Amino acid sequence: MLKIAKFEFSLFGINTYAVYDPKEGKCVIVDPGMINTEEENAIVNFIERNNLAVTNIINTHLHVDHAVGVSFAKKRFGVPVLGHKDDEFLGKRLQMQADAFGIMEKIEDVSIDTYLKEGDIIKVGSGKLEVLHVPGHSPGSIALYDKEDDFVITGDALFQGSVGRTDLPGGNGTQLIKAIRENLLPLPDSTVVYPGHGPATTIGRERAANPFLADNPHYRLK
């Protein structure tokens, strides 16, 4: 049985997750958004306090707020960075992204060590996360689905009552809504959604009440 620890960090209120198997002591870090020493210490202390061994860093996508802490985490834990190949261009422009948003800190660009694609399985101790490709917010956006424990980490694809913005490089509104409807909404109503920002929700709630998934002319499928 996998558990999730959520950390909300200061850069755009990014949700970073530690997904872990407490019995086997294995852990993956999803979307490292730590931008200062205090935030770095928060996640390191959690991992050490729970006697966890980090096995992978996983990025749902490579926008700067989700990847600003990747270099620190990779150096600290000595593990590979996993992500979708279609977002590699964003990782190589991390400092450029930071400059565009007026972020003053020096940020290291990120390279993906292992490419992920639709249907891949990432083992976390005795548990597993299935990769779902949900492009549109970025070309390589993915979600991580744990069927056994009934949760999905959606990055910036799906939020409570909203969906990801599509006005950044590589964004596509029609593609995003199509991917959400085809790859996320078929999940069980009870599936807990852990998004990249804001509170958790469920697939059932978003299927029933998310205004961006209704017959909205701006997002209507072609």
Side-chain angles (χ1 to χ4, degrees), residues 5-220:
K6 170 186 168 183
F7 302 82
E8 184 176 343
F9 293 132
S10 59
L11 189 59
F12 308 140
I14 166 68
N15 292 335
T16 292
Y17 297 101
V19 182
Y20 62 104
D21 180 341
K23 186 174 181 180
E24 295 200 12
K26 304 298 183 183
C27 173
V28 295
I29 300 173
V30 181
D31 291 347
M34 310 84 74
I35 199 170
N36 55 46
T37 302
E38 180 181 359
E39 294 178 351
E40 292 167 354
N41 287 341
I43 198 160
V44 169
N45 290 342
F46 172 83
I47 288 165
E48 292 181 346
R49 187 168 62 248
N50 288 278
N51 298 310
L52 300 174
V54 178
T55 56
N56 292 297
I57 297 162
I58 308 172
N59 272 92
T60 62
H61 62 295
L62 284 168
H63 285 151
V64 62
D65 49 335
H66 291 251
V68 64
V70 166
S71 292
F72 167 81
K74 183 175 182 179
K75 292 172 185 175
R76 177 64 178 77
F77 300 109
V79 296
V81 177
L82 282 55
H84 197 284
K85 185 177 183 178
D86 289 353
D87 264 19
E88 190 156 50
F89 79 103
L90 291 171
K92 293 179 178 179
R93 300 179 186 176
L94 225 58
Q95 185 62 57
M96 190 183 303
Q97 293 183 53
D99 294 342
F101 282 105
I103 299 166
M104 303 303 295
E105 286 83 356
K106 175 67 176 175
I107 296 173
E108 294 185 40
D109 289 342
V110 170
S111 294
I112 299 171
D113 297 308
T114 301
Y115 294 134
L116 297 173
K117 63 183 184 302
E118 173 79 21
D120 282 350
I121 300 296
I122 304 164
K123 300 206 78 174
V124 187
S126 61
K128 58 186 181 181
L129 300 171
E130 180 184 353
V131 175
L132 306 176
H133 188 205
V134 194
H137 176 65
S138 72
S141 286
I142 60 170
L144 302 169
Y145 176 48
D146 180 346
K147 181 177 181 179
E148 181 178 350
D149 299 304
D150 203 22
F151 70 79
V152 61
I153 298 173
T154 57
D156 284 359
L158 180 64
F159 304 110
Q160 180 180 296
S162 189
V163 298
R165 61 187 293 183
T166 57
D167 60 337
L168 298 172
N172 184 306
T174 298
Q175 184 183 46
L176 175 61
I177 299 305
K178 183 175 186 291
I180 291 171
R181 288 177 176 169
E182 292 181 353
N183 286 347
L184 295 180
L185 294 191
L187 300 179
D189 283 356
S190 59
T191 302
V192 178
V193 173
Y194 292 104
H197 304 268
T201 181
T202 65
I203 290 294
R205 175 174 178 171
E206 299 315 305
R207 188 189 297 110
N210 190 310
F212 292 91
L213 302 176
D215 190 21
N216 185 322
H218 181 66
Y219 284 99
R220 186 177 295 139

